[in-house]
Amino acid sequence: LGTMMRHTKKEHGADRIVLKAMGRAVNKAVTIAEIIKRKAPLHQITSIDSCELVDVFEPLEEGLDRVESRRYVSCMTIVLSKSPLDQKHIGYQ
């Protein structure tokens, strides 16, 4: 977190942090965003989506079929910014 905060200072020129998480990591991204917001007053936009993951299993032996498994997991993107963001966005905080 310290490194992230140092890179958002003026000498580095970055004014926003984007956190992306999928599946079980979503709660960790929310926790990190709240810790960062506690250290500095930031604007936040949060968006939630569903992402499709495709697992492909190649057979080790000849004569077997390739197996594809499709599943959907929740995805979250959190944008933290020093400069104002779109306040009309549904996920603005």
Side-chain angles (χ1 to χ4, degrees):
L1 292 176
T3 303
M4 209 179 306
M5 294 304 288
R6 280 193 300 276
H7 284 290
T8 58
K9 291 186 179 174
K10 293 218 182 231
E11 61 265 13
H12 291 286
D15 70 336
R16 66 175 50 181
I17 298 169
V18 179
L19 301 171
K20 293 185 178 186
M22 295 173 62
R24 293 184 291 170
V26 167
N27 62 342
K28 293 178 185 177
V30 171
T31 302
I32 291 170
E34 293 300 323
I35 290 170
I36 293 171
K37 281 175 44 181
R38 207 177 301 146
K39 294 185 181 234
L42 298 172
H43 301 272
Q44 174 180 340
I45 288 184
T46 305
S47 58
I48 299 172
D49 199 7
S50 180
C51 301
E52 180 183 23
L53 295 180
V54 179
D55 295 322
V56 179
F57 300 98
E58 295 287 341
L60 296 175
E61 299 176 13
E62 288 187 34
L64 297 176
D65 293 333
R66 185 175 109 177
V67 177
E68 284 189 11
S69 171
R70 295 179 186 271
R71 58 192 165 108
Y72 290 90
V73 293
S74 57
C75 304
M76 177 180 275
T77 303
I78 302 171
V79 178
L80 300 172
S81 176
K82 290 181 181 177
S83 59
L85 298 169
D86 181 16
Q87 294 183 1
K88 294 181 181 176
H89 191 280
I90 195 164
Y92 179 81
Q93 289 186 4

